[in-house]
């Protein structure tokens, strides 16, 4: 059986996930994400896919993060007309994510045109709202976890809970060609076990080939309770000195999880009762609503809590959808906890809050997520003395906290636990920085007698 795999994104990098599997003339794509980082990284978004989109039979989407779904509108515009399959929750979230991405791109392009910059930003958006809406038409009704679906004749997919964000899945493909049969498992992004809202990732089932993420393949995370304590301490110390706390937050999952912890902290008196919490992200607000509609994804303990009242609701919590409400936050000098996107600070409202708080010694910036190379978040995390925000140099005087225990990505022990001890022919490592998570994780696998390949972007390989 001639089975081939080609990596068209998240190859020795953490964004742009795009994987092509071919067998007997059938072509299945898993994820079609946006490259995110500095301008050089993002330039890849405008380049050809490396395959003919019209030739793809189906696209299977692991989850709604932009670096996994953000190029779907481009794929459709360039001729893709196959099926798109995803879980019900992913399908709802992806709508919010793609429409938001489209409007941001339109805004950025208009801004670049107005400021007359040449060669520094794309002058035309990658895609617009119409493209995003058109792409959404290709999504079929949501797939339930653990239910086999025939994608094309001879290829059956099963979506397994990946415990990463709401609706996230690993995808097991059962490929047959005549009498030959082979299984390929795509991990998608894997979450951490023991989180309060979502279920633990489903351990990897038997599979011949495993295409696996390894973002944190080089290290364990700090224990979650320590991270929650540190978050509460950051809020206590900052509000005591009358500063604001800015939390750059990913709209899907992290925002809901942090809200849940804040709710807990207020109830237990671990953070002062007078703090005002702002969820300043229309996308995070929509995602929170979608969250409430998908109890099939919840951890049992969280379901139980849900029956005893809204786990996100708290005194002093404001959802600020409009930009007027958002701008009013800029007048608050102390006592506010502001959750805003994007998590990596390369777009969205958080940049306004950084502009107003980075230079203030009394304020704190609290990072609770991954900061990819080349992003504004990474520069602040790495200790830049000043950063550029909206074409202005802003000195970094606020206290910077990096709390990594909240990561939505499995750490090394959890990745190994997910993979388990089952026999595998081989593991293909994707979605990891080569010098950080990836090489280190490849060595760990080698020490366990598992061969790991690390495909480069565009590399096509036979799965023997
Ligand atoms: Zn993800």
């Amino acid at each position: 059986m001639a089975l081939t795999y080609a990596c068209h994104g998240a190859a020795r990098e953490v964004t742009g996930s795009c994987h092509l599997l071919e067998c007997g003339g059938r072509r299945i794509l898993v994820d079609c994400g946006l490259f995110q980082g500095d301008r050089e990284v993002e330039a890849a978004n405008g380049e050809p896919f490396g395959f003919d989109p019209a030739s793809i039979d189906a696209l299977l989407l692991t989850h709604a993060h932009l670096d996994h779904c953000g190029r779907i509108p481009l794929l459709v515009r360039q001729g893709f007309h196959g099926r798109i399959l995803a879980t019900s929750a992913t399908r709802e979230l992806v709508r919010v994510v793609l429409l938001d991405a489209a409007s941001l791109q339109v805004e950025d392009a208009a801004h670049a045109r107005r400021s007359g910059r040449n060669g520094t930003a794309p002058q035309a958006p990658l895609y617009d709202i119409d493209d995003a809406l058109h792409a959404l038409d290709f999504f079929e009704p949501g797939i339930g976890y653990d239910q086999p679906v025939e994608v094309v004749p001879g290829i059956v997919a099963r979506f397994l809970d990946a415990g990463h964000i709401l609706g996230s899945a690993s995808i097991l493909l059962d490929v047959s060609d005549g009498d030959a049969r082979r299984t390929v498992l795509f991990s998608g992004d894997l979450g951490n076990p023991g989180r309060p809202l979502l279920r633990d990732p489903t351990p990897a089932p038997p599979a011949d080939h495993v295409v696996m993420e390894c973002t944190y393949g080089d290290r364990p995370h700090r224990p979650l309770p320590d991270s929650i304590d540190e978050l509460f301490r950051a809020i206590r110390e900052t509000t005591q000195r009358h500063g604001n706390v800015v939390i750059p937050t990913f709209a899907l999952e992290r925002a809901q999880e942090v809200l849940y912890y804040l709710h807990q902290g207020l109830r237990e008196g671990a953070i002062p009762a007078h703090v005002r919490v702002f969820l300043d992200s229309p996308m995070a607000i929509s995602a929170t609503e979608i969250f409430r509609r998908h109890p099939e994804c919840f951890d049992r303990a969280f379901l139980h809590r849900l029956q005893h009242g809204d786990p996100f609701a708290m005194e002093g919590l404001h959802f600020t959808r409009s930009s007027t409400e958002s701008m009013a936050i800029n007048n608050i000098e102390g006592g506010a906890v502001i959750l805003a996107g994007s998590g990596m600070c390369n777009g969205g409202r958080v940049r306004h809050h950084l502009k107003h708080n980075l230079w203030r010694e009394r304020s704190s910036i609290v990072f609770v997520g991954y900061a990819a190379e080349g992003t504004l978040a990474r520069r602040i995390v790495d200790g830049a003395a000043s950063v550029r925000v909206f074409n202005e140099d802003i000195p970094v005087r606020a206290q910077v906290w990096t709390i990594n225990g909240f990561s939505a990505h499995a750490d090394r022990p959890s990745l190994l636990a997910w993979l388990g001890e089952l026999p595998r022919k081989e593991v293909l490592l994707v979605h990891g920085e080569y010098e950080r998570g990836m090489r280190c994780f490849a060595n760990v696998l080698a020490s366990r007698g598992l061969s790991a390949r690390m495909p480069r972007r565009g590399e096509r390989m036979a799965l023997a």
Side-chain angles (χ1 to χ4, degrees):
M1 163 192 239
L3 184 65
T4 59
Y5 163 83
C7 189
H8 291 285
R12 304 186 176 203
E13 63 202 330
V14 291
T15 65
S17 283
C18 190
H19 312 282
L20 175 60
L21 196 72
E22 288 179 75
C23 183
R26 296 158 295 178
R27 310 185 94 198
I28 306 290
L29 205 59
V30 176
D31 290 345
C32 188
L34 206 67
F35 293 97
Q36 295 174 290
D38 56 22
R39 293 208 191 285
E40 207 179 312
V41 172
E42 294 188 356
N45 290 318
E47 288 167 13
F49 281 100
F51 53 85
D52 177 10
S55 71
I56 303 297
D57 298 301
L59 165 61
L60 310 181
L61 181 60
T62 60
H63 65 291
H65 272 151
L66 199 57
D67 64 318
H68 292 257
C69 69
R71 287 222 286 169
I72 298 176
L74 279 177
L75 189 79
V76 170
R77 204 168 67 189
Q78 293 179 27
F80 171 83
H81 53 273
R83 327 170 58 181
I84 304 182
L85 301 177
T87 64
S88 306
T90 295
R91 196 167 164 268
E92 268 200 77
L93 288 172
V94 89
R95 179 180 175 82
V96 178
V97 170
L98 289 183
L99 291 176
D100 180 75
S103 68
L104 274 180
Q105 283 164 33
V106 171
E107 268 170 45
D108 282 355
H111 180 76
R113 271 197 308 275
R114 273 199 307 275
S115 59
R117 281 177 288 140
N118 281 327
T120 54
Q123 305 273 311
L126 275 177
Y127 52 85
D128 59 20
I129 303 269
D130 287 342
D131 294 318
L133 285 169
H134 186 205
L136 291 166
D137 287 343
F138 288 83
F139 279 77
E140 295 193 4
I143 307 282
Y145 285 125
D146 301 313
Q147 290 166 14
V149 212
E150 187 172 71
V151 183
V152 290
I155 299 184
V156 173
R158 209 148 54 89
F159 286 64
L160 308 167
D161 198 336
H164 168 63
I165 65 166
L166 191 79
S168 65
S170 303
I171 301 175
L172 179 67
L173 291 176
D174 198 322
V175 184
S176 49
D177 195 13
D179 289 340
R181 197 180 147 241
R182 211 85 70 72
T183 45
V184 186
L185 175 64
F186 290 87
S187 71
D189 284 1
L190 293 165
N192 285 292
R195 305 312 283 256
L197 309 186
L198 299 181
R199 282 194 299 262
D200 291 354
T202 304
D208 299 316
H209 309 275
V210 183
V211 180
M212 180 176 183
E213 74 122 321
C214 56
T215 317
Y216 285 106
D218 58 340
R219 65 192 116 154
H221 291 319
R222 284 185 56 192
L224 183 61
D226 292 2
S227 300
I228 299 172
D229 284 346
E230 198 179 351
L231 173 68
F232 293 165
R233 189 156 62 85
I235 294 171
R236 275 198 310 270
E237 290 182 14
T238 312
T239 48
Q240 264 160 21
R241 58 175 192 253
H242 307 291
N244 293 325
V245 179
V246 177
I247 309 180
T249 320
F250 295 95
L252 315 185
E253 203 62 35
R254 199 67 42 83
Q256 292 79 33
E257 205 176 314
V258 171
L259 277 183
Y260 176 81
Y261 296 135
L262 294 178
H263 183 247
Q264 196 184 341
L266 279 168
R267 215 179 42 216
E268 293 166 0
I271 49 181
H274 64 267
V275 295
R276 287 193 280 167
V277 178
F278 295 90
L279 183 59
D280 187 29
S281 158
M283 180 156 68
I285 296 169
S286 297
T288 307
E289 298 305 331
I290 293 171
F291 215 99
R292 290 189 171 105
R293 287 203 288 273
H294 287 278
E296 80 278 7
C297 302
F298 296 165
D299 181 82
R300 199 151 15 124
F302 181 64
L303 257 181
H304 180 73
R305 278 193 203 115
L306 207 63
Q307 284 153 5
H308 294 88
D310 187 337
F312 300 125
M314 62 186 113
E315 194 91 15
L317 171 64
H318 308 269
F319 282 8
T320 48
R321 255 192 205 275
S322 76
S323 49
T324 321
E325 291 169 306
S326 172
M327 282 191 296
I329 303 172
N330 297 336
N331 301 322
I332 303 174
E333 293 191 359
V337 176
I338 308 157
L339 279 70
S342 74
M344 299 201 212
C345 308
N346 43 345
R349 291 181 177 176
V350 76
R351 292 179 299 173
H352 293 279
H353 301 301
L354 290 175
K355 187 176 158 181
H356 285 88
N357 287 283
L358 265 176
W359 56 273
R360 303 175 68 221
E361 276 169 33
R362 286 193 225 161
S363 290
S364 285
I365 316 298
V366 180
F367 290 96
V368 292
Y370 192 80
E373 272 178 296
T375 58
L376 176 56
R378 181 70 162 260
R379 285 196 285 284
I380 300 171
V381 166
D382 284 348
S386 88
V387 290
R388 218 161 160 76
V389 185
F390 294 122
N391 297 321
E392 225 181 289
D393 287 315
I394 313 281
V396 182
R397 296 201 198 102
Q399 191 177 356
V400 176
W401 305 67
T402 309
I403 310 182
N404 82 21
F406 292 121
S407 173
H409 282 275
D411 62 1
R412 185 171 60 197
S414 305
L415 288 171
L416 288 169
W418 177 82
L419 191 60
E421 303 289 337
L422 295 167
R424 321 276 179 196
K425 286 200 174 73
E426 69 177 341
V427 177
L428 301 177
L429 292 181
V430 297
H431 204 293
E433 286 177 19
Y434 183 63
E435 295 296 344
R436 289 176 80 172
M438 189 171 281
R439 263 199 351 184
C440 181
F441 196 62
N443 290 334
V444 173
L445 293 183
S447 71
R448 297 175 168 226
L450 262 177
S451 84
R453 284 201 271 181
M454 296 174 277
R456 291 173 188 280
R457 200 190 297 170
E459 193 173 342
R460 193 164 173 272
M461 46 184 70
L463 301 184

